[in-house]
Amino acid sequence: MRILIVEDETKTGDYLKQGLTESGYVVDLARDGMDGLHLALTGDYDLVILDVMLPKLDGWQVLETVRRSGRELPVLFLTARDQVEDRVKGLELGADDYLVKPFAFAELLARVRTLFRRGRNGTEPTALTSADLELDLLRRRVTRAGRRIDLTAKEFSLLELLMRRQGEVLPRSLIASQVWDMNFDSDTNVIEVAVRRLRAKVDDPFEPKLIRTVRGMGYVLEAPDAA
């Protein structure tokens, strides 16, 4: 899946590009409305994340021109102004969704996945499995060996990340940015505590064990026969 970000704030644009790239997407970043419009009209993108306040052309103008050209790719608006008229204007011009700044990256990622499911008629998986562990993305339920497991919102997000990238060692910095929307601080043990609590629920009462610590690198979830 290819995503175009049109965002003139350097820190925000770079942060979104890094986070979405780490989530498995191919991402291009435009710094103004003119470049964003050119890429949106000529590139093969599955989604555009579009800021409203842009130099050269604002987000409204970019969206209006894209829609007039007949392109139907999904557009997610980013706006710093939480006003009803702004949201209504964006939706009337053809935006598919919007987020008000500041927002958590986890919320943006959830919106992106929802738009992909909507636009691709369900090609995004609705359930993830590993051995007898199953995570239902639509009902937000987790079961193992047929037993329901209750997780907190953060535990669910952590498990979802591990299962989407199963077989891949995920560094603590990536987990911190994806699940907690923060930069990794080596002095904090929040990741270790969260993984320990998740293991207590989804691994300790069951066999085989699925979540492993790779010393000095991070964590990986995989079924033993996939190792």
Side-chain angles (χ1 to χ4, degrees):
M1 295 291 192
R2 294 192 66 199
I3 297 175
L4 171 63
I5 300 171
V6 189
E7 170 62 71
D8 64 313
E9 294 178 10
T10 301
K11 186 176 180 180
T12 301
D14 291 345
Y15 175 68
L16 293 179
K17 182 175 182 179
Q18 178 184 344
L20 289 169
T21 299
E22 289 175 348
S23 298
Y25 299 105
V26 178
V27 183
D28 289 330
L29 174 60
R31 301 289 188 182
D32 62 61
M34 195 73 74
D35 288 345
L37 177 60
H38 174 73
L39 288 172
L41 292 176
T42 60
D44 182 23
Y45 295 102
D46 299 288
L47 172 69
V48 177
I49 298 175
L50 181 63
D51 189 28
V52 173
M53 304 302 292
L54 294 167
K56 299 187 180 178
L57 287 176
D58 66 28
W60 309 129
Q61 294 169 297
V62 173
L63 177 59
E64 193 171 13
T65 305
V66 167
R67 291 299 184 235
R68 277 207 314 265
S69 75
R71 304 213 68 181
E72 295 298 327
L73 73 168
V75 175
L76 171 62
F77 251 124
L78 303 180
T79 176
R81 300 181 299 184
D82 187 13
Q83 297 178 4
V84 173
E85 54 267 29
D86 285 348
R87 301 198 297 269
V88 170
K89 181 176 181 179
L91 295 172
E92 286 180 342
L93 286 173
D96 297 272
D97 203 351
Y98 65 89
L99 267 179
V100 177
K101 296 178 180 179
F103 51 82
F105 181 80
E107 183 180 6
L108 174 83
L109 192 58
R111 301 288 185 96
V112 166
R113 288 170 176 163
T114 297
L115 288 173
F116 278 141
R117 283 198 298 271
R118 190 186 306 167
R120 294 285 180 160
N121 296 318
T123 55
E124 276 272 302
T126 59
L128 303 171
T129 59
S130 181
D132 55 355
L133 175 65
E134 181 170 339
L135 185 146
D136 187 325
L137 294 167
L138 297 181
R139 296 182 179 86
R140 309 289 289 179
R141 291 179 182 172
V142 176
T143 58
R144 183 154 188 197
R147 288 169 50 187
R148 175 82 174 269
I149 300 172
D150 292 324
L151 300 181
T152 66
K154 289 298 185 188
E155 289 167 348
F156 188 95
S157 296
L158 174 58
L159 181 60
E160 179 183 354
L161 175 63
L162 289 166
M163 293 185 72
R164 283 186 180 274
R165 308 281 286 270
Q166 60 183 292
E168 180 180 345
V169 178
L170 303 183
R172 290 170 178 80
S173 58
L174 186 149
I175 294 172
S177 66
Q178 296 284 306
V179 179
W180 278 268
D181 196 34
M182 68 179 189
N183 293 323
F184 179 66
D185 182 351
S186 58
D187 293 332
T188 182
N189 67 342
V190 63
I191 309 296
E192 287 79 1
V193 170
V195 171
R196 187 162 62 245
R197 288 176 176 168
L198 182 62
R199 277 179 169 147
K201 294 182 179 182
V202 304
D203 252 0
D204 289 354
F206 305 96
E207 292 292 342
K209 308 306 180 191
L210 301 177
I211 301 173
R212 288 193 300 115
T213 302
V214 181
R215 190 172 298 277
M217 296 180 66
Y219 300 97
V220 59
L221 183 148
E222 61 184 349
D225 61 354

